[in-house]
Amino acid sequence: AQTVTQSQPEMSVQEAETVTLSCTYDTSENNYYLFWYKQPPSRQMILVIRQEAYKQQNATENRFSVNFQKAAKSFSLKISDSPLGDTAMYFCAFNAGAGSYQLTFGKGTKLSVIP
Amino acid sequence: GAVVSQHPSRVICKSGTSVKIECRSLDFQATTMFWYRQFPKKSLMLMATSNEGSKATYEQGVEKDKFLINHASLTLSTLTVTSAHPEDSSFYICSARDASRGNIGNQPQHFGDGTRLSIL
């Protein structure tokens, strides 16, 4: 079974600054997928960024980028130039691939952007 | 982009009532939908995988007779909480997978807005 660990229950960042959220996972799979989801106070889960394990290049999506360390099973999210609207819960999620569409979520990190 | 509609957004009802929650994919076909439960300040716990035209697959510890799932069409899955009690109060979220996307890496899941269920 896969596990996803987010060791930071809460984080804060000054508006327009940069913050990094950590995520580690445990799996015996080799080809899998990793995701970061954002859940703002409005509650809808929004996909922020995704990474295929077979790709060495770190994924980037505008202000969001990841540091994917496959050997260390680490998948951190870097948010740059944070606006107030980035205040939300951020969940790291894992999918084992191989025809499985289930997601395993971490416990989340509550990010507060401070004016 | 793809949208998933979940209804109702909030339900308050008396203990013993059965409550139905709908999850619709609005502009894509979803052969697979997922139902999650989220406790305050906690992660999403997968309850069951809903498959169009077949029985749902429940996760360990989830009572299938308590949480009835029906996925009768490619755009609609329903979760019915039968004879709800206060301990069933929670936030329920559905998600749907776009059937036209063969690789989960292309487009994993689209989530509904969630349903806040409060049993008095």
Side-chain angles (χ1 to χ4, degrees), chain A residues 5-41:
Chain A
T5 303
Q6 292 180 250
S7 59
Q8 306 153 314
E10 295 189 32
M11 292 280 285
S12 61
V13 62
Q14 289 285 89
E15 187 178 6
E17 295 296 314
T18 296
V19 64
T20 298
L21 309 183
S22 64
C23 173
T24 58
Y25 57 93
D26 187 27
T27 183
S28 58
E29 302 290 336
N30 189 47
N31 294 317
Y32 49 86
Y33 302 89
L34 294 161
F35 308 90
W36 278 98
Y37 280 90
K38 172 184 178 180
Q39 188 182 39

Side-chain angles (χ1 to χ4, degrees), chain A residues 6 19 21 34-40 44-51 59-66 75-80 85-93 103 105 109 111, chain B residues 105-111:
Chain A
Q6 292 180 250
V19 64
L21 309 183
L34 294 161
F35 308 90
W36 278 98
Y37 280 90
K38 172 184 178 180
Q39 188 182 39
Q44 185 176 41
M45 297 279 282
I46 304 167
L47 177 65
V48 173
I49 197 166
R50 57 178 173 261
Q51 174 82 41
T60 62
E61 193 72 38
N62 299 317
R63 297 184 295 102
F64 301 92
S65 62
V66 299
F75 182 61
S76 61
L77 174 69
K78 179 181 175 182
I79 308 174
S80 303
D86 279 356
T87 294
M89 285 289 293
Y90 287 81
F91 292 96
C92 179
L103 292 172
F105 287 88
T109 296
L111 177 67
Chain B
N106 295 329
Q107 194 63 264
Q109 297 177 22
H110 303 283
F111 287 82

Side-chain angles (χ1 to χ4, degrees), chain B residues 3-5 14 19 21 28 31 34 37 39 47 54 60 63 72 80 91-92 95 106 109 113:
Chain B
V3 177
V4 171
S5 173
K14 293 181 179 179
V19 178
I21 304 170
F28 65 95
T31 55
F34 301 91
R37 184 171 177 175
F39 293 98
M47 297 174 65
S54 64
Q60 189 175 8
E63 299 177 57
T80 301
F91 193 70
Y92 294 86
S95 71
N106 295 329
Q109 297 177 22
D113 287 346

Side-chain angles (χ1 to χ4, degrees), chain A residues 10 33 35 37 39 42-47 50 52 54 89 91 95 97 100-103 105-108 110, chain B residues 4 34 36 38 41-44 46 49 59 91 93 97 101-109 111-113 116:
Chain A
E10 295 189 32
Y33 302 89
F35 308 90
Y37 280 90
Q39 188 182 39
S42 64
R43 286 288 191 171
Q44 185 176 41
M45 297 279 282
I46 304 167
L47 177 65
R50 57 178 173 261
E52 292 90 339
Y54 62 85
M89 285 289 293
F91 292 96
N95 169 264
S100 169
Y101 299 101
Q102 292 185 355
L103 292 172
F105 287 88
K107 291 186 177 181
K110 182 180 180 181
Chain B
V4 171
F34 301 91
Y36 296 88
Q38 185 178 27
K41 299 183 179 180
K42 299 289 185 183
S43 185
L44 281 72
L46 179 65
T49 301
E59 295 300 303
F91 193 70
I93 304 175
R97 175 186 161 264
R101 305 280 187 170
N103 184 336
I104 189 172
N106 295 329
Q107 194 63 264
Q109 297 177 22
F111 287 82
D113 287 346
R116 169 70 61 195

